[in-house]
């Protein structure tokens, strides 16, 4: 039995980054954790059409894994297919956006979200509204960097510091969430720089999945 | 130029019902109104997987109509693909759930939704939350009748009266919304029986689309 | 039958501006649209006492028009008398504040309101609260220009750009509403400058009224 | 200097009832408390048009009292003219709906409102929304008794018990508010019967006014 | 290193019940799970004074365990001392109320809480409000059984069925939470009877703690 | 009989400041107002552990005063023990945070809170959430001055002006609350400087207590 973390885009490098990100958690998991790539996905999930479009392939992908799955994690910050996969699967199903928000709610009273691009924010706002936790949101602010541009470490970290500082000082956030699976590498440094907890969403969801594997055994 | 009302399920009878429902509005529309069937859709949209699954075909269907479209209406109470179609199209795009809720908000202070089945309700709740209008919702209650069962007029109207009465007297709704495209035929009778305005969602969305066609001309 | 847009202040120039604003919509309306001035109103509606004070004359004015009315639009951003007129009239009744907010909710996820003066904002906030849509509000910010001062085009547009930019970049609005009937002339330019949809409230309400005229025919 | 409690309807018997209701508080007030009738008001305030219509006369009435006023209380559960009177007067201005809700919020976590007629409820809901306290509302339920019918003590108290029990046991209210100035006589008995605190709104507003007279002296 | 679940009341039988409840999770936890009794606590935590009164002893108790703690769980449905313990400890700190609510939010869209006594409900409501998740609450309803009375299995399960059915059918809950550490034994049967997921809060918090132990290793 | 204002920290100078702050209200109170120091409290209440830790001694302190109490006011901006004291006492019980917020809600539509230190803000946010009034909050911003540092008048007033200006102009507050018992001396000057009402919380709570003493006499 395995916790499957499914990256719904087709970029293996993103899956590899997720894999590295959760690697330190493996010794603490009762079951293996496997990061997988959805071959049918687009290279990056940047539009609502991408979000909706990966649901069908994602459901098929996960159906084939159902018998060996301890839990599923959908690893895109739009949580594509989360509700549908919960209807399909008998296993615990977590999404990195939802899990990171629920985790942040135990670490601070107002969470700030750092988004890649401003066009993601309306999508996030619909989701925070659907979750019913808008009163806990400080703000969601963009780096205005595309996924590929995140590779430029100096520029990316400078933007993260700027946006993180605004979230802390203007929007009064006391915990931050990295609103994309691709910012893992900056998490610890940003936390140090800002003096606030910073939630990396893939790890937060993997942690919750580990707990849910244990919880399932009580029923 | 045409207002396209797209039924995202493949059942022509549903499309025909929508067509009849909006027919009295045609003389008042500046452009033709055409009800269309999404051939690639499932016979009925009953699960979240159905909702997400029709988005791709719906986007293609509408892309082919873009040049002749005055506006698009997505005619399923889960508003599948609404956000994606808004990103894709330069035309006004409306969904029957959103439009019926916005319309009900001008007719009463607390709206009640009559759903077909209780399993639709969590999906509706996520949507009402995403719209940020939860404080205006009285309640969402199910008939517990499948789409095909709606054809039994006596039973259906009895359930509508029972559920409508609970929404009015227990949940204190002062306006009701029919939470499915297939209850058009009962709208006027239910309104008479309960003494409350009852919003038929396809008509509400078509009305809003007619207005938006006019609004577009001012920009 | 006619859609009556009633300007509840007594300044004919404002009524003329509304008339010009909705003129391009007339070919798309199934009935004439007539902008009217409430002779008994104050020159401008700037205080809560003005808002409450015009309700009586407005109700009388509209009662006399009831038999020839297809719909009524109250054309002041405080929506004076909206609830009372809905109780009095059997016709669809819309207000430009409510209609512009409901319209903005279909164009973006967080709306920003541009107000003339900061003293209008508490009134708007009570209204947004009464509508139950506070979670969709980004912010409401003032130009700090009186109605007469709006005539100075250069200064007005400069303020609109400044306030619009703050709403977009600080308050994270993705759609703006002009919170006064007197800013019509700047709508398209502001939209171009900011790259966001900008809702002109008289037009939004007229559009909704056009749709509601059609909707009435189905009952 | 005097605390003026203005009954905005023209029925002297209602004013007399208010006078008796607050009479036990007079020895504890630093200034006289005077209940007054707005001669220009309708016999009872039952519609939104009544609410809006009394604002003008109420403002005039209070303007003439300004120099001798310690504070004003508007004594109708729709709080007509409250915002306008606050703009006009330099004195503390309280309304019985707002004051009773704020008081109830210190006595329980979820307040229930007992309304005379169901048609008042949408008006109350708009107000609770404008106050931003919808999450504290358990429910608002009607007696379905007109003001004159309240004089039938047995029937009225039976309805109060029925509605109060529903508010407590179905809507989970832990404090009740009498949503009309005419139910004072039943307050203590209802409290005994239900085992919950019951807020009489004229007294709650008078109490708050007494405190505000003292508070004014600190500035 | 150990996950400490601290029962803040002094009744060892409650601690033993918690211990049995989480026992099936132990093979899936990377560290031991130890249920402990706060000797200084009252026999049961039934009032706000009890809640506040155990915080001091709980903080001391946990301070002494800090060096050997992987995580702390506060095992009382009022989450006494949760915020204070988070300020004191460098370890993950979870409360069974918060954790059960966050877990229920991944299993359904509207959670219902089954409380022991109605007097607990205002306390819960303050807490749900502080968490900012009131829109996700269906209702909180009481069994009206004291802790000792829970031992009468037949009566208790009958009440659970009655209250659970009301939460499902009247309040439209789609997931339930047992609002007390002492109802573990009924969890599975209630789930079967109602056809809804039922969250046992000690297990939910233990599960989340297991995940957080893993998450800590990534920083 | 006496209104007891209990300062739950042990610093007599703070109690003396409260005493001076409410002194002008004494001629308007029907009973004496006595400011008292909780000897068992810490010198200042700066952490959640302080808040929770004073509840026990505060309850004992007030129990001993019950027979001579007209009302109790808890005079710390975290309202420690408010819910517990309400359960214990038969007298009206008010807290300065709750009372100042309820008072501000009658003076403006969006209140801003000026906090001493940023670490108090999450505590305040939990409280505003528990009160269910988050939609009325503009923002809560810190001076970043410790209690002792407040004695430096020039620096403190400069910070108050800066933070107050941000609350007014950036967060769009139209009424401010001093979020600490130790800023009384600056209240009037800040009000003059900003042109907004500023609520001093000890006075607001004393005012409400005076009213409640009168209200009690009606039951």
């Amino acid at each position: 039995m395995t916790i499957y973390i499914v990256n719904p885009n087709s970029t293996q490098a993103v899956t590899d980054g997720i894999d590295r990100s959760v690697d330190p958690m493996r010794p603490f998991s009762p079951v293996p954790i496997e990061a997988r790539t959805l071959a049918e996905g687009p290279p990056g999930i940047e539009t609502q059409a991408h979000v909706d479009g990966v649901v069908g392939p994602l459901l098929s992908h996960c159906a084939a894994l159902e018998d060996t799955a301890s839990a599923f994690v959908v690893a895109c910050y739009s949580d594509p297919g989360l509700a549908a996969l919960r209807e399909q699967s008998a296993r615990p199903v977590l999404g990195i956006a939802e899990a990171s928000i629920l985790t942040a709610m135990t670490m601070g009273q107002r969470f700030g979200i750092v988004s890649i691009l401003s066009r993601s924010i309306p999508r996030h706002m619909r989701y925070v509204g659907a979750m019913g936790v808008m009163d806990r949101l400080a703000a969601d602010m963009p780096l205005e960097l595309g996924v590929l541009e995140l590779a430029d470490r100096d520029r990316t970290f400078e933007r993260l510091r700027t946006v993180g500082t605004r979230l802390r000082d203007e929007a009064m956030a006391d915990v931050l969430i990295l609103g994309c699976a691709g910012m893992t590498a900056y998490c610890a440094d940003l936390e140090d720089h800002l003096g606030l907890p910073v939630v990396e969403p893939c790890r937060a969801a993997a942690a919750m999945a580990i707990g849910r594997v244990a919880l399932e055994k009580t029923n």
Side-chain angles (χ1 to χ4, degrees), chain A:
Chain A
M1 303 297 282
T2 298
I3 294 172
Y4 292 113
I5 304 181
V6 185
N7 167 25
N9 74 42
S10 56
T11 303
Q12 183 62 34
V14 172
T15 311
D16 293 345
I18 294 169
D19 184 79
R20 282 192 303 274
S21 171
V22 301
D23 194 52
M25 306 174 74
R26 288 194 165 106
F28 301 89
S29 172
V31 294
I33 300 175
E34 182 180 331
R36 298 176 65 91
T37 301
L38 186 70
E40 299 89 340
I45 293 184
E46 298 179 347
T47 67
Q48 185 68 45
H50 290 156
V51 173
D52 296 330
V54 299
V55 178
L58 179 72
L59 291 176
S60 303
H61 189 96
C62 293
L65 298 169
E66 176 82 6
D67 288 348
T68 59
S70 293
F72 292 103
V73 172
V74 180
C76 160
Y77 204 75
S78 297
D79 282 356
L82 190 66
L85 187 51
R86 282 177 174 160
E87 287 180 10
Q88 170 182 286
S89 173
R91 311 298 183 218
V93 175
L94 298 161
I96 67 169
E98 185 188 69
S100 66
I101 289 172
L102 298 178
T103 299
M105 287 169 69
T106 70
M107 293 179 171
Q109 189 62 16
R110 283 164 62 90
F111 59 90
I113 301 175
V114 182
S115 288
I116 294 291
L117 296 166
S118 57
R119 70 178 172 187
S120 320
I121 294 179
R123 200 160 63 233
H124 296 170
M125 291 303 95
R126 291 193 294 269
Y127 196 63
V128 172
M131 284 187 65
V133 295
M134 198 60 88
D135 278 355
R136 298 290 292 274
L137 177 72
D140 185 329
M141 291 182 178
L143 300 180
E144 302 299 8
L145 290 175
V147 174
L148 293 184
E149 295 173 303
L150 291 177
D152 179 340
R153 286 191 60 91
D154 288 347
R155 184 172 59 170
T156 300
F157 193 61
E158 195 220 316
R159 293 276 178 95
L160 279 166
R161 277 188 322 218
T162 304
V163 170
T165 301
R166 284 189 65 197
L167 287 168
R168 185 191 64 192
D169 296 343
E170 292 177 22
M172 312 303 291
D174 54 12
V175 55
L176 298 191
I177 299 171
L178 300 176
C180 169
M183 294 188 269
T184 302
Y186 306 96
C187 185
D189 286 346
L190 189 62
E191 205 159 47
D192 287 346
H193 180 77
L194 295 172
L196 294 183
V198 178
V199 178
E200 200 289 319
C202 298
R203 289 171 180 164
M208 211 168 268
I210 289 170
R212 291 293 277 277
V213 170
L215 182 61
E216 288 296 296
K217 302 307 171 184
T218 63
N219 292 334

